[in-house]
Each structure stands twice: as structure tokens, then as C-alpha cells.
């Protein structure tokens, strides 16, 4: 199974969610496009957070120097991101693919992150509670549904907000995977605890 992890915006917890899902499934991990923080990239963070010995962290297709929208980071590096050069790694394992920002973050003048999502991918949406997050979440899910993209489920990140969560789940019908609380820190032990908590639900969603 191939799970594409996207968020309703930037900094909503995609990498932590990706680490939990990767650990739960002992999957391989792939971040096709990394923009900035190349010495402490999302791939580095994933490696540091996992405790299983099965996961292979696959190399980025594009590793860009500037922490910015991929299209701008690529432009500053003097290149153009081309979808044909983003080649999915070959693996017999489950594969967790982490996007960049939200689904309409531009990759170049034409394509956005949603164009990275292939027909055999299932999407997990990560939503974090803030003023406007209901709108951003509903827009993200509706855009995915309009494109006939298979949504496996949603993860809420942060303290429980029953009003927000219930309206999102009721309006969309999307499966609830779990909630990541506002933890004081995340390390291998915390990620493993969430992986154990989410595993059964994840296995149900991907089968």
C-alpha cells in the first residue's frame, strides 16, 4: 500500500504523522521534494524518530536549498521541477510518501503537489486546529474528492476540539485515523506509542 500524507497547510504536523504511520506499518518513507533544511531535512527527522529496523528512507527526487514553496526554491537553484523526474522508489514494502505543504502548493508554473498523487495512492489528510482550519480542511478534502482521489482518512493534530472535528467528519464522511496530542516532545518512544495506537486503524484503512 502507498499512503500519501498531505496537510491542510504548512506546519500542521505532516512529518510527525508520517513518522507515526511509517513506524506503525514498518513502511518505507519517501519525501519526493525537500525545500530547505537539507542538513536537518524531513528525511533526517524521520530516521531519528523511527525505532524499527525494516524501514528504508528513500532519497529525495529534489533536494532544494531554500525553505520556500518548491517552485520558488527550484527557481533559486536554477532548475525547474519536472514530474517525469520524480520517480517513485521501487520497494516490496508499504510506502509512505510525504507531500510539501498543502495540495495546491506549486511545483512549477503548471503543476502543484496534488499532481504528485498517483491513482494507486491513498491519501491521509493531517489537520491542525486553528482559526480557519475547518475551511482549509473542507476545501482540501473536497478538492481531493473532486479529483476522485482515494482518501484513507484524517489525522487531527493538537488538543481535542470536538466541535471542529465533528463537523469535519460529519460533512466529509472521511475516516478518523486518530489524534496526535500537543506532546512536550517527540522521540522514538513517543512515536512508537502512537504507532501502536494507530496501527489497527491504519491496517483497516489500507486493506
Amino acid at each position: 500500500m502507498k499512503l500519501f500524507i498531505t496537510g491542510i497547510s504548512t506546519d500542521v504536523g505532516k512529518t510527525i504523522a508520517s513518522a507515526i504511520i511509517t513506524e506503525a506499518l514498518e513502511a518505507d518513507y519517501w519525501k519526493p521534494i525537500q525545500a530547505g533544511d537539507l542538513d536537518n531535512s524531513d528525511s533526517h527527522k524521520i530516521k531519528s524518530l523511527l525505532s524499527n529496523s525494516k524501514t528504508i528512507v528513500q532519497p529525495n527526487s529534489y533536494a532544494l536549498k531554500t525553505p520556500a514553496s518548491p517552485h520558488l526554491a527550484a527557481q533559486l537553484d536554477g532548475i525547474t521541477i519536472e514530474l517525469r523526474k520524480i520517480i517513485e522508489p521501487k520497494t516490496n514494502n508499504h510506502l509512505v510518501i510525504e507531500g510539501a505543504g498543502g495540495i495546491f502548493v506549486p511545483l512549477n508554473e503548471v503543476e502543484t503537489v496534488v499532481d504528485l498523487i498517483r491513482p494507486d495512492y491513498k491519501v491521509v489528510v493531517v489537520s491542525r486546529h486553528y482559526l480557519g482550519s475547518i475551511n482549509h480542511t473542507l476545501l482540501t478534502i473536497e478538492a481531493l474528492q473532486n479529483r476522485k482521489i482515494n482518501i484513507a482518512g484524517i489525522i487531527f493534530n493538537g488538543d481535542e476540539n470536538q466541535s471542529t472535528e465533528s463537523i469535519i467528519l460529519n460533512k466529509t464522511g472521511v475516516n478518523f485515523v486518530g489524534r496526535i496530542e500537543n506532546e512536550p516532545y517527540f522521540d522514538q518512544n513517543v512515536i512508537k506509542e502512537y504507532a501502536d495506537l494507530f496501527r489497527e486503524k491504519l491496517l483497516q484503512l489500507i486493506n
Side-chain angles (χ1 to χ4, degrees):
M1 178 53 59
K2 299 166 187 176
L3 290 175
F4 188 96
I5 316 304
T6 193
I8 63 167
S9 184
T10 191
D11 294 329
V12 296
K14 289 191 307 298
T15 301
I16 292 298
S18 295
I20 292 168
I21 295 168
T22 300
E23 181 69 20
L25 302 176
E26 295 187 332
D28 286 0
Y29 169 88
W30 179 42
K31 174 101 174 182
I33 302 168
Q34 174 72 37
D37 298 325
L38 296 185
D39 293 329
N40 187 31
S41 68
D42 291 337
S43 296
H44 287 99
K45 292 170 187 170
I46 292 288
K47 281 183 182 178
S48 71
L49 291 170
L50 300 182
S51 52
N52 83 82
S53 59
K54 188 175 178 182
T55 294
I56 295 173
V57 176
Q58 303 285 352
N60 309 120
S61 296
Y62 285 93
L64 309 169
K65 296 174 185 175
T66 306
S69 174
H71 81 292
L72 175 59
Q75 181 182 332
L76 293 172
D77 279 4
I79 61 174
T80 299
I81 293 173
E82 299 179 60
L83 284 188
R84 65 183 180 86
K85 292 185 179 179
I86 299 176
I87 300 170
E88 179 187 295
K90 295 187 185 307
T91 177
N92 293 321
N93 196 3
H94 296 301
L95 181 64
V96 172
I97 307 113
E98 183 180 350
I103 60 171
F104 289 130
V105 167
L107 304 180
N108 50 44
E109 292 298 319
V110 177
E111 289 139 340
T112 68
V113 166
V114 75
D115 295 304
L116 295 173
I117 302 173
R118 300 179 186 179
D120 59 336
Y121 292 179
K122 290 186 177 182
V123 173
V124 174
V125 175
V126 181
S127 177
R128 188 176 185 89
H129 300 316
Y130 55 82
L131 188 62
S133 68
I134 295 175
N135 183 53
H136 292 164
T137 305
L138 295 180
L139 284 170
T140 297
I141 292 171
E142 184 167 310
L144 291 167
Q145 291 173 335
N146 284 343
R147 289 172 179 246
K148 311 295 188 216
I149 291 171
N150 192 333
I151 303 174
I154 187 168
I155 290 174
F156 291 110
N157 186 16
D159 294 335
E160 182 178 7
N161 186 321
Q162 191 172 8
S163 173
T164 293
E165 294 171 21
S166 64
I167 200 163
I168 289 169
L169 294 173
N170 289 337
K171 285 184 72 66
T172 64
V174 170
N175 293 307
F176 173 60
V177 177
R179 181 184 301 100
I180 304 168
E181 304 291 347
N182 274 326
E183 304 288 350
Y185 61 87
F186 287 95
D187 61 10
Q188 289 185 354
N189 290 330
V190 176
I191 293 297
K192 190 174 187 309
E193 287 176 8
Y194 276 102
D196 292 341
L197 189 64
F198 287 14
R199 183 174 295 109
E200 184 176 353
K201 185 68 174 182
L202 287 166
L203 289 172
Q204 290 172 3
L205 295 176
I206 66 176
N207 290 329

